[in-house]
Amino acid sequence: MNTLRNYILFFFLGLGLQQAYSQSYRFKTSGFSVLEKNEKGKWGEWSDLDLVNLSVILDTDKHRIVVYSQEIQLFRISEYIEREENDTDIVYSFLCKDNNGNDCKLSIITRKKQDYRKQLYINYDNQIIVYNIVSA
C-alpha cells in the first residue's frame, strides 16, 4: 500500500514540477515596420513606423509565439536556436511555421547599445516584419 501511495505522490509531484518549468513571456508592441523584396528580388526600404499596441506571447510550454493583431498571428515553434550574443545584441531565435504553414524565423533581439531596446523580427524569404516590444 505504501508503494502505491508513493507512486501516486511522485506522479503528482512530477506534474507540478513540469508546470513549474514551463515559461510564458509577455510583451507589448509600440510600433512596427515592414521590409519587402521587389520584383527583382532586391530588398526595398523599411516602411514608416506605424504605432500599434498589441500583445505578444512567447509560450515555451505550447511551443508557440502569438501576436494578437487584428488577425491573430500564430507561429508554431519547430526549433529553438541557440542564444547568440555579441557586443551590440542578444538574440533568441526560433524556426517556426505560421498560420498558413509558411516557414519563417522569429528573433527577439535586445539592442545593448540602445538602452536594451527589444525588437521582434519575423523573417520570411521575401518580407521582414519588425515590432518594437517591451516586457509586459
Side-chain angles (χ1 to χ4, degrees):
M1 191 63 147
N2 277 342
T3 308
L4 178 59
R5 188 172 57 202
N6 287 341
Y7 282 125
I8 292 171
L9 178 65
F10 285 123
F11 175 75
F12 285 108
L13 183 61
L15 282 178
L17 287 175
Q18 182 180 7
Q19 288 185 350
Y21 286 109
S22 65
Q23 296 277 339
S24 182
Y25 302 92
R26 297 178 180 276
F27 303 95
K28 288 284 186 190
T29 66
S30 60
F32 83 99
S33 184
V34 178
L35 177 66
E36 294 182 320
K37 284 187 179 177
N38 62 27
E39 57 279 347
K40 295 180 182 178
K42 303 273 186 195
W43 289 106
E45 299 289 324
W46 283 101
S47 67
D48 290 337
L49 185 71
D50 285 332
L51 302 179
V52 291
N53 183 9
L54 306 173
S55 293
V56 177
I57 297 177
L58 163 59
D59 188 334
T60 59
D61 185 41
K62 295 180 181 177
H63 307 290
R64 68 184 190 181
I65 298 170
V66 183
V67 178
Y68 288 95
S69 54
Q70 188 171 356
E71 183 177 323
I72 293 176
Q73 301 170 61
L74 173 64
F75 302 94
R76 299 229 174 259
I77 300 170
S78 55
E79 185 178 337
Y80 294 80
I81 298 173
E82 189 172 331
R83 176 181 181 260
E84 299 174 41
E85 184 170 356
N86 57 39
D87 291 341
T88 60
D89 300 320
I90 302 169
V91 182
Y92 293 91
S93 294
F94 315 88
L95 296 181
C96 301
K97 288 206 179 283
D98 69 10
N99 302 36
N100 300 318
N102 297 316
D103 292 327
C104 54
K105 178 181 176 183
L106 276 68
S107 298
I108 297 173
I109 301 175
T110 301
R111 307 288 184 187
K112 291 180 181 179
K113 294 185 177 181
Q114 297 177 19
D115 291 328
Y116 289 85
R117 178 170 68 112
K118 289 182 174 41
Q119 295 181 300
L120 170 64
Y121 281 81
I122 304 170
N123 294 280
Y124 290 97
D125 289 337
N126 60 350
Q127 181 184 60
I128 301 172
I129 303 166
V130 61
Y131 289 98
N132 291 327
I133 58 174
V134 294
S135 296

